[in-house]
Structures are given as structure tokens and as C-alpha cells.
RNA sequence: GCGGCCGUAGCUCAGGUGGUUAGAGCGUCUGGUUGUGGCCCAGAAGGUCGGGGGUUCAAGUCCCCUCGGUCGCCCCA
């Protein structure tokens, strides 16, 4: 559509993107701060990396053959001719930052960031979605895998999610996986006529992907395929065992899933996924991650073992909705100032209350008292602070409780902050005075 | 990239087989109370029925195209 035709239409958020307005946004706020606390307790520090990266970072890191890199990246050329991409995921940029700055290992970082993929949106899948994640670089210790998995699992539990399945698998390493892939490819080749249409021709290209296919045809073939676990080298076998022992020691329930093959090339050894049984939608994975011992080297850094995970904010909130947990009631104002004497009092009093640490609001545009009180009521404020002509003349304010009791008192204006703190503490029932 | 379903007020939706000024609930605003919210009552504002074309005396309603939304496939958080 041309600009002048489209110009009559109001602009809207691009396909697959969404605005998050209050009060839904306050859930986001709390989700992120809750995640920050969890990660912070475990010694992970916030890392903020650019939304744009050189395209080759993702090509080399995630893998040229992956869907995400091949078809779904938002790529752009800037005015200087640089080939850039909006990040399709969170791990590669963190690995890039590690290579660039070489912090002391183990380097443990968490992030909250949007990620972009050009795909058709559907329930739980967007072109811009948001992830919370952690990455721990510099140690091959299986206990680090356990730490990362438990962080993800405990976080879901903290939100109140009950219906989460933790699925676990090992992808082997660069020394043992290729051998398995050959065996798998042979298995699939012999049964290629039984695969689903999409994979019949592509099985040779990336045999592991077939294991992930959910069609009944592919599943049948996959289920009697040789298991990767049977082909692991001694080191990978030992690593997987120690991870399982660690999870059991921490009482974290999990299920081995030998068909769990994640979509990025960089995964080695541990891979895991958190799925919600409560989600009806096709997109039931709320988070996933694993070990990626080869990634840092692949993007030009020193050989560096690492492990991490990402959780999709939108999906985890969908899961919370489905389970009816993690409801958040946004903070209500402590006081709503009603000004019948010109508006200057509302201006001054809201500022004074806010400086004292109290949440205060007011109406604008010189509305009637009825209208201002209605707004006060709808704001959920604990009390209305009323300044009419009389209060203005006498240097007082009237405080009307909005709890339905109709109680109202008139006090000296200088006593307002102190009195409001008392009333708010009483109304909150916890004896704590805000802003004190 | 492909397929199903759906676009009527700010929101959620009614509007048999085409028929005069397109409706409701909620929300918003005003009033019933010369300075008192919620409940109630009265009233108002708000729509080129997504857009374009076609059929017809007549289209929100039927047909085509297009845009958008949504769900699914692929893939992923």
C-alpha cells in the first residue's frame, strides 16, 4: 500500500509485535525483578548487550543451517554498509561480549531482552518476544549445569507454576555426536518413505531435526531409532550422569527425553526444556537451554565451556494465566488530592506527598468535585485529600477515607503527611508507614 | 512461505432469507447533590459497519480483491 493511502490509517504495532500497557506491564516489571533477585542470589550479574550485532555472529554461532539464521533473522544494512541483525536469541551476544571483554571465569550473567524472529505469529509466538536468561561461561563442571537448570526450575516454582515438566537430554560433544549422526542418518534413510512430507527430503541435511518432529510418522520412526545416549563418549556419559545426580540431590524432578533436540547448532551435552502442561497452545515450551561448549570458540574466542538458558516472558505469563498464578495487583495511590480552589493546591500537595514517599494522584482540567471524587474512587486510593475554598482559607485539608466508611476529618495542612502515614499504615493493616 | 476462522462504538458483542435516521452492555462525560466517591436514575458524546470494487431500485448483510487480526503447519521462547 502506498503512503498516501496508508496514511489515512492510524499506524499500528507491526505484525507480531505488541504493546504492553499497564496494568499488564506491572506483571512484567515484577517478573523481571523477581528474576533479577533469583539470579542475583546465585551470583549472576546483569549484562546488557546491543540489540544489533554483526550478522556473522549469528551465522557462526547459531549455525548457517538453522531455521532461525536461515529464514528468520531481521537483517539490515546500516548507512555505513555494515551487515547487522536484530538479535534472534540471547546467548550468542553474551558469548560475543565475553570474547570481547574476557571477564574472569566463571563469568555468570543474566539478562532480560527482546528477541526478534521473522515468522508467522500465533499463540505464544511473536516476531518480537522477550526473554529472561542466564549464561555461565568458563567451566565444564556438571554442577554448573545443575545450578543453571535449578535456577530455571526454581524460578518457575517461585511464580507458582505447578504444571511444569523438566525434560532433559544430552546432545553429546563434537567427538561423539558425529558418529551417532551417521548411524541416525542411516536409520532414517532406510525408512525415509515412512517420514512426514517435510522431512522426507530434509532428513539427510540435518538428521537430528527429525527427532524433534511432532508428526506421528516421524515420531514413529524416531522412537525406534538408536538413542544418542547409547553413543555418548565416556566423558559425556559421565557428565550426563553427574548432572542427573545433581538434580536428584536437589529434589528437582525431571524426565529424560531422548528426542529432545534443540534448534541451535551450538548445544553440546546437556540440553533441557521447561514445558507447561497447562498450555493448550502448540507453543508449550516456556523455556529451554543447555550447554554450549563450542560456541565461544566458534565465534572466534578461546575454547570456553558454557551453559545457560532462556525463558520466554510471554509464554511464562501465558502459563501463569493458565494456572491462575502470579496475579499482580498494581500499587494504588495512598492519596488522591481533590482541589476545588483552582488546582494549585493539588499541584503543591501531590508534590509534597510524593517527596515524602507517598503515592499521590490528582485530577486535571478543573473538574467538578463529583468528578474528582469519582476519579479518586476509581484510582483505588486509600484516602481523598480535599482542599475546598474553606480549607484553602483556613490552611487545613479534609481527609476522606475511601473505604466506604465515609469517615472524614479536617486537619492542619502541616500535619497532612504524618496523618496520612498513620491512616495508610492502618488501612494496610501491617503497621508500616510508607515513606518514613 | 502455506492453510482455517474472523473484522460492526474506546472494550465485549447483537444485527433470520438484502429494505426507512445501525443497536445493547461496559467504559467515558454531564446532571439529579450551590463542596462529597461507590449504588441508583436521567441524558450526552462516540461508527464513512477494516479498505476498494461489483451485483441490486436498495448492501453491515451477497460476490471478488485487498489490508488487518487470530489460530494452525514449519520453527522456536
Amino acid at each position: 500500500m502506498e503512503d498516501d493511502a496508508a496514511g489515512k490509517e492510524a499506524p499500528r504495532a507491526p505484525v507480531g509485535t505488541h504493546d504492553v500497557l499497564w496494568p499488564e506491564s506491572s506483571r512484567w516489571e515484577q517478573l523481571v525483578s523477581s528474576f533479577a533477585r533469583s539470579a542475583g542470589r546465585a551470583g549472576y550479574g546483569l549484562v546488557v548487550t546491543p540489540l544489533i550485532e554483526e550478522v556473522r555472529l549469528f551465522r557462526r554461532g547459531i549455525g548457517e543451517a538453522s531455521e532461525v539464521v536461515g529464514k528468520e533473522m531481521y537483517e539490515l544494512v546500516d548507512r555505513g554498509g555494515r551487515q547487522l541483525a536484530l538479535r534472534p536469541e540471547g546467548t550468542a551476544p553474551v558469548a560475543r561480549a565475553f570474547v570481547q571483554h574476557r571477564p574472569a571465569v566463571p563469568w555468570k550473567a543474566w539478562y532480560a531482552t527482546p528477541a526478534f524472529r521473522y515468522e508467522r505469529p500465533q499463540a505464544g509466538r511473536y516476531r518480537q518476544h522477550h526473554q529472561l536468561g542466564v549464561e555461565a561461561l568458563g567451566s565444564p563442571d556438571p554442577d554448573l549445569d545443575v545450578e543453571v537448570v535449578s535456577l530455571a526450575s526454581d524460578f518457575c516454582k517461585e511464580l507458582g507454576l505447578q504444571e511444569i515438566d523438566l525434560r532433559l537430554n544430552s546432545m553429546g560433544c563434537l567427538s561423539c555426536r558425529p558418529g551417532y549422526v551417521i548411524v541416525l542418518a542411516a536409520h532414517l534413510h532406510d525408512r525415509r518413505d515412512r517420514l512426514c512430507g517435510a522431512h522426507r527430503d530434509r532428513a539427510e541435511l540435518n538428521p537430528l531435526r527429525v527427532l524433534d518432529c511432532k508428526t506421528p510418522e516421524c515420531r514413529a520412526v524416531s522412537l525406534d531409532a538408536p538413542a544418542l545416549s547409547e553413543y555418548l563418549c565416556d566423558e559425556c556419559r559421565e557428565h550426563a550422569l553427574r548432572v542427573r545426580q545433581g538434580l536428584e540431590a536437589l529434589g528437582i524432578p525431571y524426565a529424560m527425553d531422548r528426542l529432545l533436540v534443540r534448534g541451535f547448532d551450538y548445544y553440546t551435552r546437556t540440553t533441557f526444556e521447561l514445558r507447561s502442561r497447562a498450555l493448550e497452545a502448540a507453543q508449550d515450551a516456556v523455556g529451554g537451554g543447555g550447554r554450549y561448549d563450542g560456541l565461544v570458540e566458534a565465534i572466534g574466542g578461546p575454547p570456553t565451556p558454557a551453559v545457560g538458558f532462556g525463558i520466554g516472558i510471554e509464554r511464562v505469563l501465558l502459563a501463569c494465566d493458565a494456572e491462575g498464578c502470579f496475579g499482580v495487583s498494581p500499587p494504588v495511590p495512598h492519596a488522591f488530592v481533590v482541589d476545588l480552589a483552582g488546582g494549585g493546591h493539588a499541584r503543591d500537595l501531590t508534590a509534597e506527598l510524593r517527596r515524602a514517599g507517598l503515592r499521590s494522584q490528582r485530577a486535571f482540567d478543573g473538574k467538578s468535585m463529583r468528578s474528582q471524587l469519582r476519579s479518586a474512587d476509581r484510582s483505588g486510593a486509600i484516602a481523598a485529600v480535599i482542599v475546598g475554598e474553606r480549607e484553602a482559607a483556613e490552611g487545613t485539608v479534609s481527609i476522606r477515607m475511601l473505604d466506604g466508611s465515609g469517615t472524614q476529618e479536617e486537619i492542619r495542612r502541616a500535619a497532612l503527611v504524618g496523618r496520612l502515614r498513620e491512616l495508610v499504615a492502618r488501612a494496610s493493616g501491617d503497621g508500616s508507614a510508607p515513606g518514613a
Side-chain angles (χ1 to χ4, degrees), chain A residues 46-57:
Chain A
L46 175 65
V47 60
V48 180
T49 65
L51 233 47
I52 46 175
E53 294 278 356
E54 294 179 27
V55 166
R56 60 198 175 110
L57 168 64

Side-chain angles (χ1 to χ4, degrees), chain A residues 258-296:
Chain A
R258 63 193 191 86
L259 299 185
L260 175 63
V261 176
R262 298 180 50 77
F264 303 147
D265 290 358
Y266 55 60
Y267 283 114
T268 56
R269 296 188 168 171
T270 310
T271 57
F272 69 98
E273 207 165 87
L274 296 162
R275 292 186 198 160
S276 169
R277 292 185 299 272
L279 287 181
E280 305 279 326
Q283 321 299 329
D284 64 347
V286 301
R291 186 162 271 287
Y292 47 95
D293 291 343
L295 173 59
V296 171

Side-chain angles (χ1 to χ4, degrees), chain A residues 24-45:
Chain A
E24 174 67 4
S25 56
S26 76
R27 286 180 94 201
W28 283 58
E29 252 186 305
Q30 302 209 26
L31 189 76
V32 174
S33 65
S34 167
F35 187 77
R37 275 195 304 277
S38 296
R41 280 197 297 265
Y44 291 73

